[in-house]
Amino acid sequence: MEELKKQRRHIRDLMRYAVPDEHMEAAGDLLILFRDDRLALTVLEEFYSFLPEAREDWIKEFRVVARKKGVVLLAAVTSDEAYLYLVSSEGVEFHGSLSEGYLDQQLLRFFKLPDSKSFIELSRDITRFPVYQAVRVDPDICPACHAATGETHELGCPVEICPWCGGQLIYCSCRFDKLGLEILESEQDLIRFEKLLEQQGRIAYAPEQKPGYADDGPGIEQH
């Protein structure tokens, strides 16, 4: 968790230069609310590092525009605008303001959102999108890889259950037993293992899997 502490400190340092004094307390409260949420922290860090309008501003809340397989399209809501960020465990991308209503066709298809014209109309009312909740309080979201209920975990997620033994997939020995190996030495080994998982039937995320605490885990151990 030391990484998260460093990230929070960096965000606080950025906020000193970005947030108007009268809103510093409220902005700090939001940071506390999402103190263990890696996706929210990533967006906060991105926003305060590169203020979209190059002027003082602050994030009041997050809204979920769309989400799929651990990838979330978040609207960072400020005092007079909402900005779109595509965020996952792989990183974050800025996609302009929600009021513009523009979203790349590839993203519209990926999230199965309406066509461009309909999305523009939808974007006019921010309240149509649900408020983003911190993963520790949202039972329908995996706290480690952000898969939603019914979705497959990201490979290497510490919460995923092994379909063969029922243990934690990243720690059990099934990967070695099924591949006939003592060590996973290459990307091809991981690809082969993932195919075996698919054939066996991966266990999708469900709220009852949620542990009291989960970090990112080490990924699939190769030895």
Side-chain angles (χ1 to χ4, degrees):
M1 300 299 286
E2 186 62 32
E3 179 186 346
L4 290 182
K5 290 181 181 178
K6 290 181 179 179
Q7 190 175 25
R8 289 194 296 266
R9 284 198 296 268
H10 184 224
I11 293 170
R12 285 195 179 278
D13 288 342
L14 293 169
M15 286 168 57
R16 293 190 181 98
Y17 300 98
V19 180
D21 292 341
E22 64 270 24
H23 298 302
M24 183 62 76
E25 183 176 355
D29 288 343
L30 191 76
L31 177 58
I32 292 172
L33 177 63
F34 292 105
R35 62 187 178 276
D36 298 321
D37 190 309
R38 293 178 184 273
L39 297 192
L41 290 176
T42 297
V43 173
L44 285 168
E45 190 170 36
E46 180 76 6
F47 177 85
Y48 289 123
S49 294
F50 309 99
L51 291 168
E53 303 299 331
R55 58 176 171 78
E56 287 188 337
D57 207 349
W58 66 292
I59 295 177
K60 298 166 55 178
E61 65 176 1
F62 293 111
R63 296 272 177 164
V64 181
V65 177
R67 73 185 319 150
K68 181 180 178 181
K69 295 183 177 180
V71 181
V72 187
L73 185 62
L74 280 182
V77 183
T78 67
S79 54
D80 54 11
E81 187 55 273
Y83 299 99
L84 293 173
Y85 291 89
L86 185 70
V87 61
S88 71
S89 61
E90 299 297 316
V92 61
E93 292 179 357
F94 177 63
H95 282 268
S97 66
L98 185 63
S99 62
E100 293 173 351
Y102 173 78
L103 199 62
D104 183 88
Q105 288 294 324
Q106 187 175 358
L107 289 180
L108 289 173
R109 290 193 296 270
F110 175 76
F111 288 116
K112 296 183 179 180
L113 290 167
D115 57 48
S116 297
K117 185 176 180 180
S118 299
F119 183 70
I120 290 173
E121 182 64 30
L122 182 67
S123 301
R124 290 177 179 171
D125 184 2
I126 189 67
T127 62
R128 292 177 178 175
F129 303 112
V131 174
Y132 178 72
Q133 293 184 308
V135 290
R136 69 178 182 280
V137 298
D138 189 344
D140 287 317
I141 301 298
C142 173
C145 74
H146 291 260
T149 295
E151 290 185 339
T152 303
H153 291 275
E154 182 179 324
L155 187 63
C157 174
V159 179
E160 183 167 5
I161 295 172
C162 174
W164 290 287
C165 72
Q168 279 182 282
L169 183 62
I170 64 170
Y171 294 118
C172 71
S173 63
C174 291
R175 58 193 175 282
F176 306 120
D177 299 338
K178 299 302 177 181
L179 291 172
L181 299 172
E182 293 184 358
I183 182 172
L184 275 64
E185 297 182 317
S186 67
E187 186 70 22
Q188 288 302 313
D189 291 338
L190 289 175
I191 292 173
R192 285 177 55 211
F193 180 57
E194 189 168 14
K195 287 182 179 179
L196 290 174
L197 277 172
E198 298 293 346
Q199 291 170 6
Q200 179 66 16
R202 293 179 70 176
I203 299 175
Y205 174 72
E208 55 268 24
Q209 296 174 11
K210 188 167 187 173
Y213 169 81
D215 60 16
D216 281 343
I220 293 292
E221 292 186 349
Q222 299 185 348
H223 54 79

